[in-house]
Amino acid sequence: MTVDADPRRDRGGQASALALSLAGQISELVRARGLDEGAHLTEQWIADELHVSRSPVRRALSVLEDVGIVRRVPNRGYFLAQPGSELEPAGQAGERDEEDGVYFRLVDDFLGGRLDQEFTAAEIARRYGAPVREVQRTLVRLEGEDLVRRRRGRGWEFHGALSTVEAHDQSYRLRMIVEPAALLEPGFAVDPEAFALARRRQETLLRGQVLTSSRGALFQTGAEFHEMLTGCANNPFLLDAVRRQNRIRRLIEYRHQFDRTRMVAQAREHLHLLDLLEGGHVAEASRVLHAHLDRVRWIKTGIGAEPPPLGAGAVVEAAGGAADRDLSGPCCP
């Protein structure tokens, strides 16, 4: 089985790298021009402004429709769905450039079985034709993330990382046990500041940052959201379990070719979870979180039957029991 295969490739596929890049450029163009909500974005105008042909513009506009930045009106074209001034500026150039560097080439080769678990910096430098200093910086970064370690005497080795799709599936199944249960812990309490920060980050993704952020930044945003929810249970052992899973799955998540339109749906689900918990609907939030993790697990691994997609839905009115508890109070750090 291919490592971390995305089953959705056979169901229409993911947006191409060119379409994603161009979608980010269009978003930045709209923001820089300060266009109003409802502005008509014609393919020809965009093609002229960005010096490209209309065909890739059409695909990029479809991506922007998927992430909610534009809306398509039949027989009329695409129109801006939110003011340009509210879109997030594109990330720094180096943020996306890191994906083409030694870091991700090394990760991809290890997970693809093309690189031994043990290696030296000199071997990596020769393999990628990269300066030894750049390789050393990359290895120090991986060491800081606890994904590689120095061997006694000479060289480096990967350790403690998920490297198969089956292990990835098992990791998600553990999280499906721990994270929904954490919401039902008697010590669970909403931390207003932490929730407000998490909400801002998810909304920022929906304002266009999902198109421009690096793979590492997107992973970190998602990991921190789930750690925040678990931390609010005020049980350090539950939080430690989730943090460990986030650490060991980092490599395989990096290798996953992010479907950024799917990540928009996940951000909306995260916001729905915040709404439920802030409204005191804990039992429903626990059920939604379990379904959310199960759906993402299947999308990333393709193992088992496809779980039903989560409906957008309004906040469910909870009645009695745990769903009506007072959840105000601080999370544990």
Side-chain angles (χ1 to χ4, degrees):
M1 181 180 295
T2 303
V3 173
D4 208 18
D6 186 342
R8 292 182 66 186
R9 282 185 177 277
D10 296 330
R11 297 165 172 80
Q14 299 177 356
S16 69
L18 174 60
L20 286 170
S21 175
L22 193 53
Q25 293 178 56
I26 295 171
S27 177
E28 179 63 16
L29 174 64
V30 166
R31 188 196 67 81
R33 294 294 177 85
L35 298 184
D36 295 329
E37 180 178 353
H40 190 190
L41 303 181
T42 67
E43 294 175 6
Q44 191 60 58
W45 176 73
I46 294 170
D48 291 343
E49 290 292 320
L50 299 180
H51 307 290
V52 295
S53 64
R54 291 177 59 180
S55 180
V57 168
R58 191 173 303 118
R59 292 192 291 272
L61 284 169
S62 179
V63 171
L64 290 174
E65 180 185 20
D66 288 338
V67 301
I69 292 178
V70 303
R71 64 177 182 275
R72 182 175 178 274
V73 178
N75 302 318
R76 294 189 61 198
Y78 290 92
F79 296 82
L80 195 57
Q82 52 187 292
S85 60
E86 293 184 5
L87 296 177
E88 289 295 314
Q92 298 298 317
E95 188 176 29
R96 292 299 298 276
D97 291 344
E98 71 172 358
E99 298 188 358
D100 299 323
V102 173
Y103 184 99
F104 285 105
R105 294 175 68 187
L106 193 155
V107 167
D108 287 345
D109 282 350
F110 171 65
L111 293 176
R114 298 180 295 276
L115 181 67
D116 292 337
Q117 184 164 338
E118 300 177 354
F119 54 89
T120 66
E123 290 169 350
I124 298 300
R126 288 194 298 270
R127 183 184 185 93
Y128 300 130
V132 174
R133 181 175 296 180
E134 179 184 350
V135 172
Q136 290 287 4
R137 286 198 302 268
T138 299
L139 293 175
V140 168
R141 174 183 169 188
L142 285 165
E143 183 182 31
E145 295 172 347
D146 202 23
L147 296 172
V148 302
R149 62 187 174 194
R150 300 172 194 265
R151 298 176 58 208
R152 289 185 178 180
R154 181 171 179 268
W156 298 77
E157 64 180 354
F158 282 98
H159 79 109
L162 300 181
S163 58
T164 68
V165 69
E166 291 80 10
H168 200 190
D169 177 74
Q170 291 165 359
S171 172
Y172 264 99
R173 291 196 176 279
L174 185 146
R175 293 178 60 204
M176 287 164 59
I177 296 170
V178 173
E179 294 185 33
L183 304 188
L184 302 177
E185 281 291 289
F188 184 89
V190 168
D191 182 333
E193 291 186 5
F195 269 51
L197 177 59
R199 184 177 295 278
R200 287 196 298 272
R201 287 177 174 173
Q202 299 303 312
E203 290 174 344
T204 295
L205 292 178
L206 297 178
R207 289 197 297 268
Q209 201 173 83
V210 70
L211 297 173
T212 60
S213 294
S214 67
R215 284 190 281 180
L218 290 172
F219 170 79
Q220 196 64 30
T221 298
E224 289 177 354
F225 177 87
H226 285 271
E227 289 176 9
M228 184 277 293
L229 289 186
T230 304
C232 286
N234 287 289
N235 184 327
F237 298 102
L238 294 176
L239 180 57
D240 181 68
V242 173
R243 283 177 171 167
R244 173 168 171 74
Q245 291 308 306
N246 284 338
R247 180 183 67 77
I248 65 175
R249 73 187 179 94
R250 183 187 296 267
L251 282 186
I252 205 165
E253 291 281 354
Y254 280 174
R255 186 178 189 271
H256 186 74
Q257 297 300 310
F258 281 112
D259 180 346
R260 290 169 188 258
T261 60
R262 170 182 59 76
M263 297 190 72
V264 169
Q266 289 184 30
R268 289 174 178 152
E269 290 167 11
H270 287 170
L271 290 170
H272 184 46
L273 281 165
L274 295 178
D275 289 340
L276 287 169
L277 290 168
E278 288 176 329
H281 308 296
V282 187
E284 177 65 12
S286 179
R287 288 191 291 270
V288 168
L289 179 54
H290 185 279
H292 167 78
L293 290 170
D294 194 25
R295 178 73 180 173
V296 176
R297 175 201 61 78
W298 179 83
I299 288 172
K300 292 182 178 179
T301 69
I303 292 179
E306 177 181 0
L310 273 68
V315 175
V316 175
E317 291 295 335
D324 290 328
R325 289 192 283 116
D326 179 5
L327 299 177
S328 59
C331 295
C332 59

